[in-house]
Amino acid sequence: MMRGRKVLEAVKSCQEVVEGEMIVLVKKQHNPPKTSHYLKIRRAIYGASNSKVRILKVCIILLLPFIIVKYMKTIQELPAISSGMKKPLVCTSDIAQQSYDEQAGLADERQIQKVKEAEALVAYIVEKLDAINAPVLLAFGSLLYEYRNNTDANPCINYRVTDKDLDIGLMERHFHIVSDMRYEIAERFDWDVEGLNSKKMILFLTPRDQNKTLGAGFQVDVYGFKTNYPEKGLVYFPWEDATYGMDSMMPLVKHKTIAYHGQDDGRKKDLYLYKPFNTSCYLENFYGSDFMTPHLTKGYFMRKQAFGHPTCENKKMSEYEVAELERQLHKNK
């Protein structure tokens, strides 16, 4: 009986030692420890002269595989924890539905259904573009709403049933991909591609049974934009005839995932909609310094030369973002 109790105590002590060593190593490395790290732990214990530590020789061999499995998930989160960042949340279908539940009664059933169809359609576009590493930007009024209402606590894009549209943007070389999907879109969603203007890089996705007048229901507006145009360091949206500074816009960075429906979804779990690199500076340049305050009587104030008001030097790119900028500008042409 006494011997069994001592074994249990030894096993517990072993677990504490190994887990402690694992955490120290991971925090130093900021990535999963390699096999050599495990060997160092074992060699340190086997080579110790202290008799209490030597008791752990057997249990370390038994426990180490289980502890590795236990910590493989945790150690992936340590870089974010150590830098004070929260782990990004994934939008699920259940969380997305909560938004519609909260908006119950604000629109009729068909309008709500249109918005849900739009959400599924945007998710489909994001999935297709992700296959070639092409980002899909949340743009204009849709981005403004997300930023104004501090929706970061919600991992899902908030599709408003009282709104008339959702705005997304694509880089020039990717714009044609969505216009070329018109037959897929019609077959899968019963929505049409309307108002296609390849020169201005604009198209509207609308339900087939909807009045084509803007505001008559819900639609998805797809805008294309040029980079380093009309000169280096600028981004240009032909439809809006609006020019932004590259310092506020690029690289596009991950914002929120599309709704994930579980293991039976068939899609990747982390398919993202993107936002501008410096969102607040981007919005201030386009909508003015009071962009956080809605002006229902005068409508939107929008600059055509949306850069330098102010400059966007307050945010510096990390090494990863520098590499991502290079990839977005020059890859997948």
Side-chain angles (χ1 to χ4, degrees):
M1 184 71 177
M2 183 64 68
R3 180 175 296 179
R5 183 179 301 171
K6 287 184 177 180
V7 170
L8 290 176
E9 289 176 356
V11 170
K12 183 178 179 181
S13 299
C14 175
Q15 184 174 359
E16 291 174 353
V17 169
V18 177
E19 290 187 0
E21 292 295 332
M22 290 273 293
I23 292 173
V24 169
L25 285 171
V26 172
K27 285 185 175 178
K28 285 182 178 179
Q29 296 292 329
H30 274 193
N31 55 45
K34 300 176 182 178
T35 304
S36 59
H37 296 146
Y38 308 143
L39 293 176
K40 286 179 182 177
I41 298 171
R42 291 177 62 180
R43 286 168 185 166
I45 294 176
Y46 272 87
S49 59
N50 191 310
S51 60
K52 291 183 180 179
V53 177
R54 234 185 344 241
I55 294 174
L56 308 180
K57 287 181 179 180
V58 175
C59 70
I60 182 97
I61 298 173
L62 296 175
L63 284 178
L64 190 57
F66 297 99
I67 295 171
I68 292 172
V69 171
K70 176 181 176 181
Y71 275 88
M72 281 306 293
K73 181 178 180 181
T74 303
I75 57 183
Q76 298 288 357
E77 302 172 9
L78 282 175
I81 294 171
S82 63
S83 62
M85 296 183 298
K86 293 182 179 179
K87 183 183 178 184
L89 297 176
V90 173
C91 175
T92 65
S93 55
D94 290 340
I95 298 175
Q97 181 58 44
Q98 289 175 13
S99 174
Y100 293 110
D101 293 342
E102 292 168 0
Q103 299 180 79
L106 298 181
D108 60 44
E109 290 186 7
R110 179 58 187 130
Q111 172 69 4
I112 294 174
Q113 183 59 34
K114 288 178 183 178
V115 178
K116 288 184 175 182
E117 290 171 5
E119 181 181 7
L121 175 53
V122 170
Y124 184 69
I125 292 171
V126 169
E127 180 184 15
K128 291 295 184 182
L129 272 293
D130 178 80
I132 59 167
N133 293 318
V136 178
L137 170 71
L138 187 68
F140 301 123
S142 300
L143 178 69
L144 178 62
Y145 176 82
E146 280 276 303
Y147 193 86
R148 265 185 186 163
N149 292 276
N150 191 26
T151 64
D152 287 348
N154 183 350
C156 303
I157 299 296
N158 190 355
Y159 285 78
R160 292 182 293 161
V161 299
T162 56
D163 207 344
K164 65 182 186 301
D165 60 19
L166 183 85
D167 302 321
I168 60 176
L170 301 171
M171 299 183 74
E172 180 179 20
R173 64 182 180 273
H174 303 139
F175 179 78
H176 73 91
I177 296 175
V178 176
S179 63
D180 291 346
M181 290 167 57
R182 60 169 63 91
Y183 299 113
E184 294 176 58
I185 291 171
E187 182 176 351
R188 292 177 67 99
F189 299 96
D190 204 26
W191 280 46
D192 288 326
V193 173
E194 300 283 347
L196 172 62
N197 186 325
S198 298
K199 184 177 180 180
K200 292 284 189 178
M201 287 195 289
I202 184 69
L203 63 84
F204 309 106
L205 303 172
T206 62
R208 282 187 169 179
D209 65 349
Q210 179 171 286
N211 185 317
K212 302 309 178 185
T213 304
L214 180 63
F218 196 86
Q219 64 187 50
V220 178
D221 299 343
V222 183
Y223 302 83
F225 62 89
K226 300 172 180 281
T227 54
N228 286 319
Y229 183 91
E231 61 185 65
K232 186 176 177 61
L234 296 178
V235 177
Y236 180 64
F237 282 80
W239 177 253
E240 295 286 348
D241 191 28
T243 307
Y244 299 87
M246 192 83 79
D247 56 358
S248 73
M249 187 86 177
M250 305 295 291
L252 304 181
V253 295
K254 292 176 179 178
H255 178 45
K256 293 181 180 180
T257 62
I258 63 174
Y260 180 67
H261 298 274
Q263 294 181 349
D264 296 331
D265 194 321
R267 295 180 301 200
K268 289 171 59 178
K269 191 174 183 179
D270 55 347
L271 293 171
Y272 281 87
L273 273 166
Y274 284 66
K275 63 182 179 180
F277 170 68
N278 193 336
T279 303
S280 61
C281 195
Y282 163 93
L283 292 172
E284 183 173 353
N285 271 281
F286 193 43
Y287 293 109
S289 59
D290 62 345
F291 71 91
M292 289 294 288
T293 304
H295 297 282
L296 302 179
T297 55
K298 72 173 185 178
Y300 287 121
F301 163 81
M302 296 183 290
R303 288 192 182 99
K304 297 298 184 181
Q305 301 297 312
F307 58 93
H309 307 284
T311 59
C312 301
E313 299 173 350
N314 62 320
K315 185 176 181 181
K316 303 299 182 183
M317 285 187 286
S318 65
E319 291 184 10
Y320 168 80
E321 288 163 340
V322 170
E324 182 64 6
L325 175 63
E326 178 70 15
R327 186 193 70 78
Q328 290 181 13
L329 292 180
H330 302 296
K331 301 297 182 183
N332 300 323
K333 287 189 175 181

